[in-house]
Amino acid sequence: MLKFEDYAYERPILHEEQETFKELIVNFKNAQSAEQAISAAESINAFRNRLSTLYNLVYIRASIDTKDTFYQKERDYFDEIQPNLKEMYTEFYKELVNSTYRKKLEKQFGSQLFQLVDNEIKTFSPEIIGLLQKENKLASEYSKLVASAEVAFQGETYTLAQLAPFAQSEDREVRKQAITANAGFFESHAKQFDSIYDQLVKVRHEIALKLGFKNFVEVGYLRMQRIDYNAEMVAAFRKQVRDYIVPLATKLYEKQAARIDVDSLKFYDESFQFKSGNAKPKGSPEWIIENGRKMYKELSNETNEFFQFMLDRNLMDLEAKKGKEAGGYCTFIEDYEAPFIFANFNGTSGDIDVLTHEAGHAFQVYSSRNLKVPEYIFPTSEAAEIHSMSMEFLTWPWMELFFKEDTDKYKYSHLADGLQFLPYGVAVDEFQHLVYENPDWTPDQRKDAWKKLEEIYLPHRDYDGNAYLASGGYWQRQGHIYDIPFYYIDYTLAQICAFQFWKKSRESHEAAWKDYLDLCKQGGSKPFLSLVKTAKLNSPFEEGTFKEVIQTIEEWLDSVDDQAL
């Protein structure tokens, strides 16, 4: 059995790949029957999977160790050639939609592929290749800058992920110092963060103009493959969050202030949930994984098989370490049919959230890996986040394995955090709409815009005189804003769906699990709202959905004596 470290990488030579691809395209064009066209398309998919496998190996290995010069060079190389690969694939997409055998191809591959392909075609033209290369390079520059953080704190040096547990300290002064040290890294590199983003906004605006759009907002929606909803529906969703969630979140912050016994909640208090300390996993990363194995074994046969597959092949890199990129993600290595989970364990409850969240993504992709269309391996982002966020709730019955006597604390803060996240999530979305509608804004104007959004969506927030954060710099730590524009509302839409799974699982865990499994098996073969229907969930855009879900959660939170936790 091959393990992740044995997965072979060899640099693809662009001009050789272009030659091979030309032959594959000719075969597709010259197909004499629908069967021949299907076979030629499958050969092209195999070609694309091979290159995607190589890219993913580079991406994973470069993000695990940003000091690995070999894989950093290979990552730079892929940043350079990705737009050329996009050009090749767009040529295939154009042939696909115009094929004589389109009806039979749609029957074979499903109509969703053709909707996805139409969007892809609209976001590419050979004249933007240079701009796409520049965009890739800038996004990588941001990731490397964040990963380079080595922050001096209490006589030691920490990465940003390693610093996070201090922000949950029972000592308020330590919390304040940890948050100040974290913000200090961003503040000391503020000019670089400003410059990278300024260049990204201008490059993306130029891409939009060259593609015939008035600004990048439309391109962002097309890239994110938003097939069955639009910017107006998103704006109405944000308004619901403003109307229903912001007052509720503010009330929860007031309860938290009373619970931790502070007169007024400062920004550095927000991560500290309980006076006796936050819920923390009661063991080492190895112990967490061992309990994860037990949990997934008991949850279902399918999750047992999946988690064992991941463990046997070393498909997880979980601990925070120097030189490792920030955050967590799941990707899929096509030719090995292997999901991969990347995380930064740091001894907080977030370690368990990652174990369930990223494993939700990985389990979905494992469940739909037999769909033979590369575009269907993952669904579009907002649908993908349903799998991850719902897995967090569907594993609640096993949380005692990790938190023991702190389980009630964990559940309360997990559910409250889910609600309190929504205003921040929609603020990030609205910020990006404003930025790309105003591409000539200066860095200061962007910070002013963020500050105003914080006043609307996060009215409780008090930075206690930290000048960098108070002037609107907080958003610079949100990697999605730099790397994948408009990828954020997805989490909030999925959160409303995940809350529905939480509600269903309390009524019947078995029925909820069955609906979840059915959803995972669909992969990305349908657009977002169709997948929501498949899972027997209500659309998050409907006002009734919002009210009903939030009411149930509010009742549950109110039923808990949080002061006693």
Side-chain angles (χ1 to χ4, degrees):
M1 177 199 305
L2 280 180
K3 299 192 176 198
F4 174 70
E5 52 271 33
D6 306 319
Y7 292 177
Y9 172 74
E10 193 178 338
R11 178 186 280 200
I13 307 304
L14 182 62
H15 68 88
E16 291 174 9
E17 302 297 350
Q18 286 168 324
E19 286 307 310
T20 306
F21 192 74
K22 266 183 202 157
E23 289 170 27
L24 293 170
I25 283 286
V26 168
N27 292 344
F28 181 77
K29 276 188 192 167
N30 295 343
Q32 297 300 302
S33 66
E35 289 67 37
Q36 278 184 16
I38 289 165
S39 170
E42 283 169 347
S43 298
I44 288 170
N45 286 344
F47 171 91
R48 290 159 64 211
N49 282 341
R50 177 176 59 79
L51 287 179
S52 187
T53 295
L54 296 174
Y55 167 73
N56 275 306
L57 290 174
V58 165
Y59 181 78
I60 295 164
R61 288 169 180 164
S63 57
I64 288 171
D65 183 4
T66 57
K67 295 174 178 178
D68 180 323
T69 50
F70 175 78
Y71 280 109
Q72 290 313 315
K73 276 196 185 116
E74 294 309 293
R75 184 174 177 167
D76 292 343
Y77 175 69
F78 266 98
D79 280 351
E80 198 67 30
I81 70 162
Q82 282 281 29
N84 302 99
L85 302 183
K86 196 170 164 71
E87 181 179 29
M88 284 157 42
Y89 302 161
T90 305
E91 190 187 341
F92 167 54
Y93 289 157
K94 285 177 178 169
E95 293 298 336
L96 190 66
V97 296
N98 294 315
S99 169
T100 321
Y101 307 108
R102 174 160 175 164
K103 274 205 163 62
K104 289 197 171 161
L105 287 164
E106 268 197 50
K107 201 174 171 209
Q108 176 74 13
F109 298 124
S111 60
Q112 168 73 347
L113 173 64
F114 289 81
Q115 297 191 79
L116 294 169
V117 158
D118 282 338
N119 283 358
E120 284 292 331
I121 291 169
K122 287 173 194 161
T123 63
F124 183 79
S125 151
E127 66 176 317
I128 65 167
I129 286 180
L131 293 168
L132 292 172
Q133 287 167 334
K134 192 174 177 190
E135 184 187 11
N136 288 343
K137 205 170 167 221
L138 287 163
S140 288
E141 206 179 305
Y142 170 83
S143 299
K144 288 176 193 174
L145 180 56
V146 175
S148 75
E150 293 193 2
V151 182
F153 184 74
Q154 295 187 339
E156 300 282 339
T157 308
Y158 297 96
T159 66
L160 296 176
Q162 290 167 336
L163 196 59
F166 295 103
Q168 298 183 14
S169 167
E170 288 169 42
D171 183 330
R172 198 178 195 196
E173 194 47 43
V174 171
R175 294 201 295 274
K176 183 176 181 177
Q177 288 169 5
I179 290 292
T180 306
N182 180 305
F185 169 76
F186 286 92
E187 185 174 15
S188 65
H189 295 85
K191 281 202 161 49
Q192 278 167 279
F193 285 117
D194 280 340
S195 167
I196 293 170
Y197 195 57
D198 198 57
Q199 291 177 73
L200 277 168
V201 170
K202 296 203 168 26
V203 164
R204 287 170 180 152
H205 185 64
E206 200 181 332
I207 286 171
L209 295 180
K210 282 207 154 89
L211 291 171
F213 297 97
K214 74 168 185 284
N215 61 41
F216 184 75
V217 177
E218 293 165 283
V219 180
Y221 271 62
L222 289 167
R223 281 188 184 180
M224 291 305 296
Q225 294 288 9
R226 295 189 174 148
I227 284 166
D228 49 5
Y229 65 97
N230 57 29
E232 288 70 37
M233 290 163 79
V234 169
F237 177 83
R238 291 197 304 259
K239 186 177 183 307
Q240 289 196 75
V241 172
R242 233 174 15 245
D243 294 346
Y244 296 123
I245 309 290
V246 172
L248 179 54
T250 304
K251 185 179 103 177
L252 288 170
Y253 285 118
E254 285 162 4
K255 284 177 82 170
Q256 183 184 350
R259 200 165 60 236
I260 65 172
D261 196 19
V262 295
D263 291 336
S264 79
L265 196 76
K266 305 295 183 190
F267 178 58
Y268 47 78
D269 296 319
E270 286 183 26
S271 300
F272 182 60
Q273 299 277 355
F274 303 98
K275 203 171 179 188
S276 56
N278 286 8
K280 288 190 187 81
K282 305 291 180 189
S284 66
E286 294 72 29
W287 176 88
I288 290 173
I289 291 302
E290 207 33 63
N291 279 308
R293 186 204 299 260
K294 185 177 181 351
M295 170 175 77
Y296 286 122
K297 186 175 185 181
E298 290 174 11
L299 176 55
S300 74
N301 292 333
E302 294 87 352
T303 48
N304 180 35
E305 179 197 302
F306 146 74
F307 203 65
Q308 205 48 57
F309 178 94
M310 301 292 286
L311 290 171
D312 291 344
R313 291 161 182 77
N314 295 341
L315 292 166
M316 297 186 274
D317 192 285
L318 302 174
E319 284 184 72
K321 47 191 177 246
K322 285 185 179 143
K324 187 174 180 178
E325 275 190 16
Y329 64 76
C330 165
T331 188
F332 185 70
I333 310 163
E334 289 87 345
D335 284 356
Y336 298 94
E337 295 195 331
F340 189 92
I341 294 175
F342 171 100
N344 276 282
F345 275 14
N346 58 14
T348 65
S349 64
D351 297 352
I352 310 306
D353 297 337
V354 165
L355 185 71
T356 54
H357 181 104
E358 297 304 341
H361 285 307
F363 177 67
Q364 172 267 304
V365 80
Y366 183 81
S367 304
S368 60
R369 69 196 188 286
N370 299 325
L371 297 174
K372 293 300 176 201
V373 180
E375 285 76 8
Y376 292 172
I377 289 170
F378 281 108
T380 51
S381 306
E382 67 299 272
E385 296 304 340
I386 302 176
H387 307 121
S388 53
M389 290 176 150
S390 301
M391 183 67 95
E392 292 179 34
F393 290 124
L394 291 166
T395 50
W396 260 29
W398 289 270
M399 286 303 106
E400 216 157 299
L401 288 173
F402 305 100
F403 295 105
K404 302 193 173 171
E405 71 278 7
D406 284 345
T407 303
D408 288 341
K409 274 186 186 177
Y410 172 74
K411 287 182 177 177
Y412 182 90
S413 57
H414 184 211
L415 201 56
D417 283 349
L419 268 184
Q420 288 166 310
F421 164 73
L422 292 168
Y424 173 73
V426 299
V428 169
D429 181 67
E430 191 165 326
F431 176 68
Q432 295 186 85
H433 278 84
L434 293 168
V435 164
Y436 290 108
E437 282 160 12
N438 298 281
D440 296 327
W441 271 359
T442 63
D444 284 346
Q445 285 173 304
R446 290 185 198 116
K447 285 181 179 146
D448 281 344
W450 177 258
K451 213 173 134 183
K452 289 191 182 98
L453 289 170
E454 283 192 333
E455 286 160 16
I456 295 166
Y457 291 107
L458 307 163
H460 71 282
R461 188 158 277 184
D462 177 353
Y463 288 117
D464 197 28
N466 183 301
Y468 168 73
L469 295 174
S471 69
Y474 182 82
W475 61 271
Q476 295 193 316
R477 70 189 55 204
Q478 193 60 64
H480 302 69
I481 293 174
Y482 286 78
D483 192 20
I484 320 166
F486 291 101
Y487 189 164
Y488 218 72
I489 197 73
D490 312 73
Y491 293 108
T492 62
L493 295 169
Q495 187 75 73
I496 298 296
C497 296
F499 281 154
Q500 292 178 68
F501 265 121
W502 171 79
K503 189 170 178 278
K504 281 177 22 152
S505 71
R506 290 166 54 70
E507 290 151 12
S508 163
H509 197 278
E510 198 181 329
W513 178 254
K514 186 186 174 301
D515 290 344
Y516 178 80
L517 193 56
D518 289 346
L519 176 67
C520 288
K521 287 177 180 170
Q522 298 285 328
S525 60
K526 294 175 183 170
F528 174 55
L529 292 174
S530 300
L531 288 171
V532 167
K533 223 180 208 161
T534 298
K536 300 179 188 158
L537 303 171
N538 298 321
S539 162
F541 294 112
E542 288 166 19
E543 199 154 328
T545 305
F546 227 85
K547 280 183 176 166
E548 190 191 340
V549 170
I550 300 311
Q551 190 184 344
T552 312
I553 290 170
E554 192 174 5
E555 282 166 9
W556 189 91
L557 290 170
D558 283 345
S559 74
V560 176
D561 179 4
D562 63 307
Q563 305 295 329
L565 291 174

